[in-house]
Amino acid sequence: MDHFALRDGILHAEDVPLPSIAEEVGTPVYVYSRATLERHARVFREALAGLGTGEQAPLCAFAVKSNPNLSVLKVLQQQGFGADVVSGGELIRALAAGMDPADIVFSGVGKTRAELELGLDKQIGQFNIESREEGEELSEIAVARGEVADAVLRINPDVDAKTHEKISTGKAENKFGMPLMRAREVFAELAVLPGLNLRGVAIHIGSQLLDLEPLETAFAKIGTLVADLRAAGHSITHVDLGGGLGVPYKAGENPPSPAEYGAMVAKATAGWDVKLTFEPGRVIAGNAGVLLTRVVRVKRGGNGPPFVIVDAAMNDLARPALYGAWHDFDAVEPHGERMIANIVGPICETGDTFARDRDCDAVASGDLAVFRTAGAYGATMASSYNSRGFVAEVMVDGDQFAVVADRIDANAIMDAERVPDFLT
C-alpha cells in the first residue's frame, strides 16, 4: 500500500496534488511519502516481533544504499530502525540522521582501511567481514588502537536468488562473502585473532526476491553452519539474515508479504538462540516514492508507436536502462484515454528508454506523469550524464511538502572542476 492516489481526477501524494510540487520545484523531481515509509517500517517491524525480546530483539537495519536521503533516514530512525551501510559515506549519513552507532552494521566487500578505521572511530555495532584478509586487517587496526571490533563473517551459500543477475549476491560466482565450503576454516582462523570479537555469521543472497524458497534454502544452510560452529567450540550469538524482499513493480507480481516472511524466518531459525539482524531496503522505500516528470513532446515514429519524450532520463532513474526494469507510467491528470507508446528520455543514447510498446495513459506535450515505485534505487543511483545535473527530492507529510535534496544544476557541478595552468 502507498499514499499516491487520484482525488478529483488529480494524482496526489498524501494530501498534496502533484501539480503543486511540479509548479514550485520543477521537474523531474522525486516525491516521497512519509506516511508510506512509516507504514512499511511498522508492518515490517511487526512481522518480526516474535523473533526475540530484550537484548535478543531483532534489529532492523535499513539498507541505506536503497535510499540514503537524510530525511528518509530520519523517518526510519524515528521508527526504531538502524542502518546497514556499505561505505564510509553511508555511515556518516546514518549518523547524521540520528541513528544509534550500536544499530549500524557495516557490510560491503571492499571496505578500505580508512573505512574500517571510521567504523571503529564511530563505535558502530557490527562489521560484516567478507574475507579472511579483511578480518585480519580489522584485527590489526583494532589491536593497534587497543580496541575490540564486534564482527560476523558473511557467508556465500551458493543459492540462486532467482532475481536479476546484476543484483544476485549469493551464488558461487558472486563476489560477496566466504564460500560455504571454506566458512568453518576461515571462521576458526579469524575467531582467535586479537582485537576481533567474531560473534556470528551473515548472509544476503540478492535483491527483489519474489519467492521465499531461495531464502529458506539459504537459511537452512546457515542453521547447519551455526550448529557446526558451536560444535567446534565457537560462541555464536548473532546472525544477520540480510534483506532482499521484493516489491510489486507491475500487475501480476505478488511478492511475499512481511508477515509471510516473518513466519518463514520464525520456522527456519527455531532453536538458533541468537540475535537476528535484518537489512530491508526496497521493501520499505520502493513504493514510498515516485519520479514526477513532464512530457516534453510526443514524437511520431515510423511504423511503430509514438515516442513519449519526458524530461526525466536514465541519469535520474537508471533501473530501466541498467536492468531492463519496469516502472508503471501514469498520467497525473488522466482523462480515461489510453495509448501505446515508447517512453524515452532526452539523453543522447538509445539506452535512455523507460518502456517500449507500453499501454499507458494518453499524454501530450506539457502533461505531468509519474514513474511509480521509484523510492528505492532511484535518486541514489542518479548521475550527471550529458551534463544534466542531479534531480531534486521532495518529502510530503500530510498536506505539506518540503524539498529534502536541492536540484544541483550543471553550473554547480562545473564549479567543482578546474582547468590547470598548463592548458591556459
Side-chain angles (χ1 to χ4, degrees), residues 72-87:
V72 170
L73 298 183
K74 188 63 178 177
V75 170
L76 296 175
Q77 180 267 335
Q78 292 174 346
Q79 291 295 310
F81 275 55
D84 161 51
V85 304
V86 295
S87 72

Side-chain angles (χ1 to χ4, degrees), residues 84-153:
D84 161 51
V85 304
V86 295
S87 72
E90 288 188 354
L91 171 54
I92 295 300
R93 281 180 171 270
L95 293 171
M99 288 173 168
D100 188 336
D103 292 337
I104 295 177
V105 298
F106 201 154
S107 304
V109 71
K111 305 180 198 69
T112 65
R113 187 179 189 89
E115 288 175 324
L116 294 174
E117 291 173 343
L118 178 64
L120 289 171
D121 288 343
K122 302 302 182 182
Q123 299 180 319
I124 65 168
Q126 179 173 291
F127 292 88
N128 287 7
I129 295 173
E130 301 251 1
S131 66
R132 177 175 57 195
E133 294 79 5
E134 181 188 335
E136 291 171 344
E137 186 170 18
L138 180 58
S139 167
E140 174 198 333
I141 296 169
V143 168
R145 298 162 59 113
E147 298 174 7
V148 175
D150 289 328
V152 299
L153 181 65

Side-chain angles (χ1 to χ4, degrees), residues 39-48 51 212 245-246 255-265 280 283-284:
R39 180 183 183 278
H40 289 176
R42 183 176 65 255
V43 168
F44 191 87
R45 193 176 61 247
E46 290 173 351
L48 307 176
L51 296 177
L212 290 178
L245 274 189
S257 69
E260 292 169 330
Y261 173 72
M264 181 276 289
V265 171
V283 71
I284 304 296

Side-chain angles (χ1 to χ4, degrees), residues 243-285:
L245 274 189
V247 298
Y249 280 96
K250 60 181 176 179
E253 289 184 338
N254 187 30
S257 69
E260 292 169 330
Y261 173 72
M264 181 276 289
V265 171
K267 180 179 178 182
T269 64
W272 285 13
D273 189 26
V274 295
K275 180 181 178 69
L276 295 172
T277 295
F278 300 88
E279 302 170 358
R282 189 190 316 263
V283 71
I284 304 296

